[in-house]
Amino acid sequence: MIRTLLTGLKRHLIYVVVGSLVAGLVFGQVADAGVKSLLKAAVVPVLFLMVYPMMINIDLGEVLNAREHARPVALSLLVNFGLTPLLAVALSRVFFAGNVDYAIGLYFIALVPTSGMTAAWTGLAKGDLESALVAMAVNLLVAVAVLPAYLSVLVPGSIGFEPATLYRQLAVVVVTPMVAGTLTRRLLLRQYGPQTFKRLKPSLGGLSSLGVMLIVFIAMTMRSGSILADPVASATVVVPLVAFYAVVLVVGTSLGRLLLPDAQATAFVYATSMRNLSIALAIVVAADSLPSAAVLPIALAYVLQPPLGAVYMHYRRDVVGEGSSLRDVLVSLVSRHFRTG
């Protein structure tokens, strides 16, 4: 029963996040200061519930194989810590010139790359899974190391952001669960073996999804007043997000096609287009020096990212894998629609 519930949360995460977002905005209109104080006290335990299971699923030992996958990993670092921050700054200046809070949310999306779905989508698209796993581990460690330095440049001085404080918060919401997750992973593998551990992974992902649901609800409840004060401006946050993902996908596909073997190119695209929204969300919610309204772009990115992964997976399998062109696929879809219509 519980396992079914957890796997269902993971499978339907888009709807779970949207439902939590809407419920939090509504509840925030009626919740009093006492309720909001209780929700704020629950933030750290909920963040641990969200991040710890995800860390069990990540094999940091893959970093040792980085040399064998040097080219796709190096390219992913170049895109994730070179291109995407610049893209986020450009989009923020165009769309968020009057709202620093939302700009910070986009910076976090840009600066915390790769998620557990990087490996999942790579496998489904028949890419190089080992390259994807190595890229995930290396990019996550680099993000933890450089995030405060990047933000000290990007975040305006008026916010009162302190890099030293963020390093301490990273230790609480990322490094501690990372160490605990790595030790738990080794213990589970030693105790039960790879096959049993593999069966546990969907439940672990479900626990993380439960944490996402709760933290989105808490964050939206806390910031309901400011977000709904200008609902039109809040809704337009989705426009730069679509532009961000579109540019990263096009760049990743182009570079992969030019510089990498086919299977590694697929891994590279997912290592650059998938962002670690759970960790980004955890850091923003936990950091007192960052505006909590920055949660909104990250929450909306949960809605955009899974369809992006699915679209590229079908492109790899149904277009590239079948030796077709996009034009052939579109013509086939249109003709099928008219036949059934």
Side-chain angles (χ1 to χ4, degrees):
M1 176 71 177
I2 294 177
R3 184 174 180 177
T4 302
L5 175 63
L6 292 175
T7 53
L9 284 175
K10 182 181 178 183
R11 190 177 302 117
H12 303 293
L13 185 58
I14 296 177
Y15 307 107
V16 169
V17 169
V18 171
S20 301
L21 191 153
V22 173
L25 290 175
V26 173
F27 186 66
Q29 297 296 300
V30 297
D32 58 23
V35 171
K36 290 183 178 179
S37 178
L38 288 174
L39 290 176
K40 188 173 182 179
V43 164
V44 172
V46 172
L47 288 177
F48 193 84
L49 171 67
M50 180 174 71
V51 178
Y52 170 62
M54 179 177 62
M55 292 301 182
I56 298 174
N57 280 333
I58 294 177
D59 185 4
L60 293 179
E62 292 289 347
V63 175
L64 299 175
N65 297 324
R67 188 175 298 177
E68 299 177 21
H69 304 275
R71 184 177 289 185
V73 171
L75 280 174
S76 70
L77 291 172
L78 180 64
V79 171
N80 287 330
F81 300 103
L83 170 69
T84 59
L86 293 175
L87 177 61
V89 169
L91 290 171
S92 296
R93 289 183 177 178
V94 173
F95 293 97
F96 300 144
N99 196 317
V100 176
D101 297 3
Y102 293 160
I104 292 173
L106 184 56
Y107 296 157
F108 270 89
I109 293 170
L111 287 168
V112 190
T114 75
S115 69
M117 290 309 295
T118 298
W121 286 123
T122 299
L124 290 170
K126 300 180 180 179
D128 186 338
L129 186 56
E130 192 169 333
S131 288
L133 292 169
V134 174
M136 284 170 57
V138 172
N139 276 272
L140 179 58
L141 291 174
V142 171
V144 171
V146 307
L147 185 61
Y150 268 79
L151 290 175
S152 66
V153 175
L154 296 175
V155 175
S158 59
I159 297 297
F161 170 74
E162 297 179 1
T165 302
L166 183 56
Y167 272 119
R168 289 195 294 271
Q169 288 159 340
L170 283 170
V172 173
V173 302
V174 179
V175 178
T176 301
M178 183 186 293
V179 173
T182 300
L183 295 175
T184 304
R185 179 188 178 89
R186 292 180 178 178
L187 179 64
L188 290 173
L189 285 169
R190 185 181 304 159
Q191 188 77 21
Y192 299 107
Q195 292 303 317
T196 302
F197 177 74
K198 190 175 181 180
R199 289 197 295 270
L200 287 173
K201 291 181 77 171
S203 297
L204 294 172
L207 277 173
S208 186
S209 299
L210 176 62
V212 170
M213 178 185 77
L214 293 173
I215 209 67
V216 168
F217 174 79
I218 292 172
M220 290 300 106
T221 299
M222 303 296 289
R223 297 299 299 179
S224 174
S226 61
I227 291 171
L228 292 182
D230 191 352
V232 175
S234 300
T236 57
V237 170
V238 75
V239 178
L241 288 176
V242 170
F244 174 84
Y245 277 109
V247 171
V248 173
L249 182 62
V250 169
V251 170
T253 303
S254 302
L255 287 176
R257 186 180 299 163
L258 287 172
L259 301 174
L260 296 171
D262 197 55
Q264 284 191 344
T266 301
F268 167 68
V269 168
Y270 281 117
T272 50
S273 60
M274 298 292 104
R275 320 310 292 174
N276 204 316
L277 302 175
S278 296
I279 288 181
L281 189 65
I283 297 169
V284 169
V285 173
D288 293 331
S289 59
L290 294 172
S292 53
V295 166
L296 183 62
I298 302 171
L300 291 175
Y302 272 105
V303 181
L304 297 175
Q305 190 162 280
L308 174 73
V311 166
Y312 186 74
M313 183 267 291
H314 284 294
Y315 166 74
R316 294 296 311 176
R317 285 181 14 180
D318 302 336
V319 179
V320 177
E322 298 296 327
S324 304
S325 66
L326 280 174
R327 182 178 179 277
D328 294 335
V329 173
L330 290 173
V331 169
S332 174
L333 289 172
V334 171
S335 61
R336 189 183 309 164
H337 170 76
F338 281 111
R339 284 201 304 270
T340 57

